[in-house]
Every structure is written in C-alpha cells, then in structure tokens.
Amino acid sequence: MDLKQHINKNKLPRHVALIMDGNGRWAKQRGQERIFGHENGIEAVRDTVKAAAEIGIKYLTFFAFSTENWCRPLREVETLMDLLTRAIVNETPELNENGVRLQAIGDLESLPLNCREILREAMELTAKNDKLIVTVALSYSARWEIVNAVQKIAQKVADRIISPDAIDETTFINALETAKIPDPDLLIRTSGELRVSNFMLWQIAYTELYFTPVYWPDFRRRHLYQAIVDFQRRERRFGNVETHPVNTKNA
Ligand code: FPP
C-alpha cells in the first residue's frame, strides 16, 4: 500500500514533533556500541525531513539531546555532540538549497563552543527560508524551559514592565523557547516507550500522541506517513464537544 496516497493534503498536521528513541537498543541488537545507533539515526532524520518537506509539513521538531542526557557516560556525550555538529555541517547546504530553515531550542549556552558556533552559522544561513522550519531541541527539557520562562516573567514584574495581573497565557507562551512555533499537532515517539520524557510539556496540551515500536535508526518516511494517516483518522475536540476536523486550531 502506498501510504502517501492516503494522506489528505488538506488535513496535514502543521507541526510534527519527534522523540527519537531506541538508538542504544538498536545498536545493542547488532552487538555494537550505543553510538553506532546514534550514527545510524542521522539517516532517519534525513529521510524524515525530506518526506515532511515533500508532503508540505511546515514545522518539524526533533528532540535530539535532553538536559538529562548530560548524565550519560562522558564518551557517549562527547561523541553525540561531535555527531550532531558534523550532521549540522554536512546537512546545512542541502537544507538551505531546499528552503529549509534550521533553528534550535534549549540551553544552547551549555553546548560545546564549536557546536554552538556551527549551529549559529547554520541558523544564520537558513534564517530567511520558510518552506519547512526544522527545530532541533538541544540540551532541552520542558521543566528547564518552564522555570526559565517564569524567571523571565518575574524579572519583567520586578522591573515594573508588566504587572502580575497582566500575566496571561500569551505572556507565558512568549516567554517559552517555542514562542514563534505553533504547538505540535502530532508528537511521535519511537522505540515503544509510552511516555513524553520532559518534552514540550506546555505545548503538547492538545497534541495527538503516536507511539511506534520502531527504533529510531529504522524510522523512515513510511513510518511518518503511517503516523499522519493515523492522525487524520482522529477527531480533535480541544476540550469541546463538537467535532473539529484535524488541524483546524492552527490553520
Ligand atoms: C535516544 O536513543 C536518542 C538520542 C539521545 C540522540 C538522538 C540523536 C540523533 C539521532 C542525532 C540527531 C541529529 C540531528 C541533526 C537532529 P537512546 O540512546 O535513548 O536509545 P535507548 O533508549 O535504546 O538506549
């Protein structure tokens, strides 16, 4: 079955977020070190970005490195940072040629200097592109983001720029890392784990969740299409009683 033909282009999720999981287990199954799984995860990212651009998705977000991932063995952390940096260097020209904008969210100051520099250059180069916005979450966790947002707002209150009564959802949204990105319509997690692991906790309030047993290095466009077909069968109510066709909230 060609799943792509089953996708309704008028009901596409505007923003698809992905928790890439299972790299370590994928490598272990092959008698290899965990980093082998991460290396093979790059091809899954490439195929997902291409497929999303082809069908017309506007926003794609990858959870690439969590705040908690710093606690992994130093060698794994260093190799992952190196891998991410190389992936950005290698992929940016093609992303740019195809009108893709690359951006990052998270505690970017905590990244190694060369990774930060490479990322800054890639973001600058692609800043004017708008066919597809690819966001990489790096040294990111939702609780870190929320505390950070509270600090920013508290500072504005202390500086008498806003009064506490004026704080509303919009104030909060604007203080988040994702201020300029719509909430995800669809969140995909690979590897069969059924949890959200401190990812975009504010933003996924009404997001449709999709879990697949596929390990991230095996994830390909057909898996993305499967998730989208499943999403399009769902009825989104946003807490209301009426039937909303999928994706109307952000349309
Ligand atoms: C989770 O698998 C995966 C990661 C912590 C890293 C994923 C990063 C990449 C594939 C590189 C992405 C690159 C770009 C440019 C977006 P795990 O190690 O937790 O696997 P396990 O649960 O099986 O141990």
Side-chain angles (χ1 to χ4, degrees), residues 93-137:
E94 196 178 334
L95 292 177
N96 193 37
E97 278 163 29
N98 288 287
V100 178
R101 177 175 187 179
L102 184 72
Q103 53 182 31
I105 55 170
D107 184 11
L108 305 183
E109 293 299 307
S110 65
L111 299 173
L113 187 61
N114 68 323
C115 181
R116 239 156 56 203
E117 277 300 300
I118 294 291
L119 194 58
R120 191 183 53 74
E121 284 169 23
M123 292 194 294
E124 268 176 29
L125 181 73
T126 62
K128 292 204 168 68
N129 298 339
D130 65 355
K131 184 175 193 296
L132 168 65
I133 319 291
V134 171
T135 304
V136 186

Side-chain angles (χ1 to χ4, degrees), residues 140-155 172 175-177 198 201-202:
Y140 171 90
S141 82
R143 288 183 178 178
W144 167 83
E145 178 187 36
I146 288 169
V147 169
N148 209 31
V150 170
Q151 284 177 352
K152 286 187 213 166
I153 297 168
Q155 189 61 54
F172 200 75
L176 292 170
E177 294 285 291
N198 211 351
L201 297 182
W202 169 279

